Amino acid sequence: GVSEIRICTRDRPGLFARLTGALLLSGASIAGAQIFTLKDGVAMDIFHVQSAEAGEFESPEKLKRLKARITRSLKDDAWLDGQI
């Protein structure tokens, strides 16, 4: 099983790298991704992820950590530097 993570935000250079870095640091293995950029500059990134141990990424603690890392990666340009 996989879990679907949807992220909608303003598009900017390096967005996909930030998001995949946050997923990696959260223990997610990306099984697939779809990336869309709308005419108004909004990006919709859809990730299908599994936990590193295989299986759905649904533990409340893992999801809480994932949300925090995604939020931080979107707010802080330098946060991922040296993390991976």
Side-chain angles (χ1 to χ4, degrees):
V2 297
S3 298
E4 185 173 274
I5 308 290
R6 295 178 184 210
I7 302 159
C8 185
T9 188
R10 286 262 164 228
D11 198 9
R12 58 182 165 242
L15 176 62
F16 186 72
R18 290 173 195 228
L19 296 176
T20 56
L23 289 166
L24 173 70
L25 289 173
S26 298
S29 177
I30 301 170
Q34 295 176 303
I35 299 100
F36 304 95
T37 301
L38 306 176
K39 290 180 183 178
D40 62 359
V42 172
M44 169 64 85
D45 293 359
I46 303 169
F47 295 94
H48 293 102
V49 300
Q50 295 178 314
S51 68
E53 302 84 32
E56 292 184 42
F57 198 86
E58 60 185 16
S59 149
E61 183 59 35
K62 285 183 180 182
L63 290 172
K64 182 179 176 182
R65 218 173 23 246
L66 173 63
K67 182 179 178 181
R69 286 187 173 129
I70 287 172
T71 300
R72 188 163 180 196
S73 74
L74 292 174
K75 290 182 180 179
D76 184 353
D77 288 344
W79 177 71
L80 285 173
D81 293 347
Q83 295 286 322
I84 300 175

